[in-house]
Amino acid sequence: MDYVSTRGLAPKLGFEDVLLAGLARDGGLYVPERWPVLSHQEIAGLAGKPFHEVAVEILDPLTGGAIPRVALAAMCKAAYGSFGHAAVTPLVQIAPNQFVLELFHGPTLAFKDVAMRLLARLMDYVLEKRNARATIVGATSGDTGGAAVDAFRDARRADVFILFPDGRVSDVQRRMMTTPDSPHLHALSIAGNFDDCQARVKDLFNNLPFRDRVQLSGINSINWARIAAQVTYYFAAAVTLGAPHRPVSFAVPTGNFGDIFAAYVARQMGLPIERLTIATNSNDILARCVKNGIYETRDVVATSSPSMDIQVSSNFERYLFEASGRDAQCVRQLMNGLKQSGRFELGTSLAAALHGEFCATSADEIAVAATIKRVFEQSGNLLDPHTACAAHAVSMQGCRSVPEIILATAHPAKFPDAMQKIIGLRPALPSRLARLMTDPEHMTQLPNDNRAIETFIAQKTRVLQAAPLGDRA
Ligand SMILES: *Cc1c(COP(=O)(O)O)cnc(C)c1O
């Protein structure tokens, strides 16, 4: 199967090239040429399987069969073997017909581990096969960076550079990026906010000579493989609660529109999802857009859910491509409008499509705090502030007849200061992370400037060094 760019001006690529490319050369994002569909019977057959086996059944069609099944199965098994829960992504009930899907049992306590651990293995597999190296860059609002640093810790072929906004991530989040001490892992503290970091990464990709020189690859959710790897838990959770025989609903804490787009993909693949809820914090560009059809950026405000403090949701472009009937010219126009004036209007038919596909609710800081307290009192379950945005959205919707699944995207111990302020408790880190808060940190401070960032990467990446392949020093 081939993959096409949402902007229609880049060549079609196979899965391996899409995996290594990240962003398409025309600035667009890759999606499969068509959505694979699982039959009712195939979906029913997922029930009762361990998570890593469900992952293979979903990823095999989504990767167009590009990775031999045996290799894919081995990678899924390795990726999900080190989670702190045998079910990998367990469901916990918090109220009648309301469930929390705990996606935070990976090594860095956020859902990003689920996709990143597989992505790192897929990349190393393809680079090994091609006898090549890559320079991997990523922007993080907090959780992607830690997940990437951990997932690529043992990668043999990749040098990893993570850009994070100086002073805007929690201590736990920062330490997950800065405490691993390996010459191929680089945490870059950038003088700016997350949108600046994301813009710098996009600029690196759009500088085509630099991109080719250092063999640039991306690990943000602009990378198709990450989205694909997130489709897995929608199927796993839904079949546990009776799909495909009965539908379920999902509420998804949303920043870059990656996770919620994975839910949309699951629906395209035949999973019966009744209601899909976009849950945002006070940075509510998506909630406003669902309401009034206008996508308009505002200043980012800092909240207790920093991983969602985002105004430009990159993956929304993938949805616009779908909703417009895969009209790349329409996507290019909208994205140019965004670049030039910070806004675009969906128009009647796109607005209707968006409205038909998703609900959206934003939660301000008061609602987040009230939700954390309420759920704790009613169920004894401690939600982190990101998850609380989704729980708030569900509580606004009233009683439903189908199971409502709230995605828990982070462990509350990842945000101890916020939790202390809200509920007066500092949730303990799992014991496997005991040394995190005392190990020495390694990071480099850089200005919000393309030239400085490119220079640093060029100096450090082993792609430009004559080190023989296979030599890890
Ligand atoms: C990244 C992240 C989100 C947002 O996910 P998107 O795919 O960017 O929408 C939500 N919660 C947590 C804890 C995250 O790390």
Side-chain angles (χ1 to χ4, degrees):
M1 181 158 69
D2 280 336
Y3 296 78
V4 296
S5 163
T6 50
R7 304 210 184 164
L9 301 176
K12 291 181 186 178
L13 296 177
F15 176 76
E16 286 186 8
D17 289 313
V18 165
L19 173 73
L20 296 180
L23 196 66
R25 291 180 90 85
D26 58 4
L29 307 181
Y30 279 106
V31 289
E33 210 162 27
R34 58 189 173 280
W35 298 111
V37 175
L38 269 59
S39 68
H40 197 82
Q41 226 169 5
E42 286 170 318
I43 298 173
L46 300 173
K49 288 196 169 161
F51 184 82
H52 64 92
E53 287 182 24
V54 174
V56 174
E57 299 305 326
I58 303 306
L59 284 162
D60 189 35
L62 277 177
T63 53
I67 310 289
R69 257 184 95 92
V70 182
L72 186 61
M75 283 187 257
C76 288
K77 202 159 183 197
Y80 303 122
S82 62
F83 274 52
H85 196 295
V88 183
T89 60
L91 276 165
V92 174
Q93 186 161 15
I94 57 163
N97 235 9
Q98 263 183 40
F99 300 83
V100 170
L101 177 58
E102 293 185 349
L103 300 171
F104 53 66
H105 292 281
T108 69
L109 310 182
F111 87 101
K112 304 277 195 314
D113 286 323
V114 179
M116 202 64 79
R117 294 186 67 72
L118 191 71
L119 184 73
R121 284 165 176 80
L122 284 168
M123 281 187 163
D124 231 35
Y125 172 85
V126 171
L127 290 169
E128 198 86 42
K129 182 177 155 193
R130 297 183 170 192
N131 193 26
R133 284 193 192 282
T135 301
I136 291 175
V137 294
T140 186
S141 54
D143 292 327
T144 302
V149 164
D150 192 87
F152 281 92
R153 211 184 265 235
D154 297 319
R156 298 169 49 81
R157 302 268 171 174
D159 288 23
V160 179
F161 298 83
I162 300 295
L163 283 64
F164 68 90
D166 185 41
R168 297 200 189 209
V169 300
S170 80
D171 288 351
V172 175
Q173 286 178 317
R174 190 189 65 251
R175 285 183 156 275
M176 283 173 167
M177 294 184 265
T178 59
T179 54
D181 184 14
S182 275
H184 71 291
L185 304 173
H186 305 275
L188 309 183
S189 177
I190 304 294
N193 61 28
F194 170 68
D195 287 322
D196 294 323
C197 293
Q198 185 159 254
R200 296 294 72 75
V201 166
K202 279 206 164 186
D203 287 343
L204 292 173
F205 275 96
N206 287 327
N207 179 347
L208 298 183
F210 178 79
R211 174 175 180 168
D212 291 339
R213 198 156 75 93
V214 302
Q215 295 291 302
L216 208 59
S217 277
I219 46 88
N220 280 105
S221 54
I222 52 177
N223 192 309
W224 162 248
R226 259 193 62 190
I227 304 288
Q230 287 170 210
V231 179
T232 55
Y233 46 72
Y234 289 101
F235 277 92
V239 296
T240 301
L241 294 179
H245 315 293
R246 68 168 174 175
V248 297
S249 292
F250 289 101
V252 185
T254 306
N256 230 340
F257 208 77
D259 207 5
I260 186 91
F261 188 74
Y264 170 85
V265 172
R267 188 186 251 169
Q268 297 293 95
M269 291 175 73
L271 188 66
I273 300 176
E274 179 157 296
R275 182 204 292 255
L276 256 185
T277 300
I278 296 168
T280 75
N281 62 22
S282 303
N283 297 288
D284 61 349
I285 183 168
L286 288 164
R288 282 185 280 118
C289 186
V290 171
K291 224 161 260 152
N292 63 15
I294 301 171
Y295 188 86
E296 185 169 38
T297 58
R298 292 189 185 155
D299 285 343
V300 179
V301 299
T303 70
S304 56
S305 45
S307 300
M308 292 155 61
D309 290 348
I310 291 175
Q311 279 295 332
V312 181
S313 299
S314 306
N315 279 289
F316 195 49
E317 178 168 343
R318 284 189 160 107
Y319 175 69
L320 294 173
F321 185 62
E322 295 303 316
S324 65
R326 300 204 151 196
D327 182 347
Q329 197 190 338
C330 163
V331 173
R332 287 202 302 275
Q333 268 166 10
L334 295 176
M335 289 302 139
N336 278 336
L338 184 65
K339 195 162 187 181
Q340 262 144 45
S341 56
R343 76 195 293 277
F344 58 75
E345 290 190 24
L346 289 179
T348 333
S349 75
L350 276 181
L354 180 67
H355 213 78
E357 201 84 48
F358 301 100
C359 307
T361 304
S362 66
D364 61 20
E365 292 296 278
I366 293 169
V368 166
T371 301
I372 291 173
K373 282 187 199 134
R374 174 179 56 79
V375 172
F376 187 59
E377 277 160 19
Q378 290 175 352
S379 71
N381 227 269
L382 209 47
L383 306 183
D384 99 291
H386 303 77
T387 307
C389 292
H392 168 73
V394 166
S395 74
M396 302 295 283
Q397 288 165 357
C399 187
R400 307 301 305 171
S401 54
V402 308
E404 193 75 53
I405 303 173
I406 294 158
L407 269 63
T409 50
H411 192 295
K414 208 161 179 183
F415 304 96
D417 296 337
M419 298 306 291
Q420 167 98 55
K421 234 170 100 187
I422 292 166
I423 204 158
L425 286 174
R426 286 184 86 77
L429 282 171
S431 55
R432 59 199 150 94
L433 292 168
R435 294 182 48 198
L436 185 70
M437 300 315 282
T438 49
D439 276 352
E441 296 189 76
H442 314 270
M443 66 178 134
T444 304
Q445 269 162 341
L446 288 177
N448 177 23
D449 173 72
N450 290 333
R451 186 72 73 69
I453 295 166
E454 285 172 14
T455 304
F456 182 83
I457 292 174
Q459 274 168 4
K460 299 287 179 184
T461 180
R462 288 174 303 170
V463 171
L464 298 183
Q465 294 165 6
L469 283 165
D471 176 1
R472 300 193 51 198

